[in-house]
Amino acid sequence: MAINLSKGQKVSLTKENPGLKNIFVGLGWDVNAFDTGADFDLDASAFLLNSAGKVSDIGDFIFYKNLVHRSGAVTHTGDNLTGEGEGDDEAIMVDLSKIPAGVEKIAFTATIYDAENRRQTFGQVANAYIRIYDQVTGKEILRYDLGEDFSVETAVVFGELYKHNNDWKFNAIGSGYQGGLAALCRSYGVDVE
């Protein structure tokens, strides 16, 4: 049975699931019935971070324009422009055995595309979650329902996968940012020219 996490809660993935190698990180959300004159387009991203909490180079930022990390460790399954339907809206696959040695954590985020021009925030998004399941068995390992009240934020860090004593763990973060994808990029050391 999957573990339901609370904000700030940490859980071991590999200690509780020996042999776990390929995980699927699903992110999902629903849009409240707000009419801002434009459709919502939320985008999931992953930042592969070094010990300083920054990307080593632009290739460590996985998003809709860079779907596969050069190591093959992280693959974004593609941009879902509407978020319609049941289940995960966007997903990122991670091969734990291929994560490069200098990567100590992977941050999983979601942003609202063109949020400022469309007058959209995460305050208009409901039922946001991140879940991790074993890609081989299909067994859901954990789930974190954001459940936060974000009024002005246009970007959210859902959680982080991190290595501690050769064990992969997950931390439910749930932190919001104003400034969308550019703010997240600056925070993680991506040049946003």
Side-chain angles (χ1 to χ4, degrees), residues 3 69 96 171:
I3 299 170
H69 189 264
L96 298 173
N171 182 10

Side-chain angles (χ1 to χ4, degrees), residues 75-93:
T75 303
H76 192 302
T77 60
D79 190 12
N80 178 338
L81 298 175
T82 65
E84 295 292 321
E86 294 294 313
D88 302 331
D89 291 306
E90 293 195 8
I92 298 169
M93 297 180 293

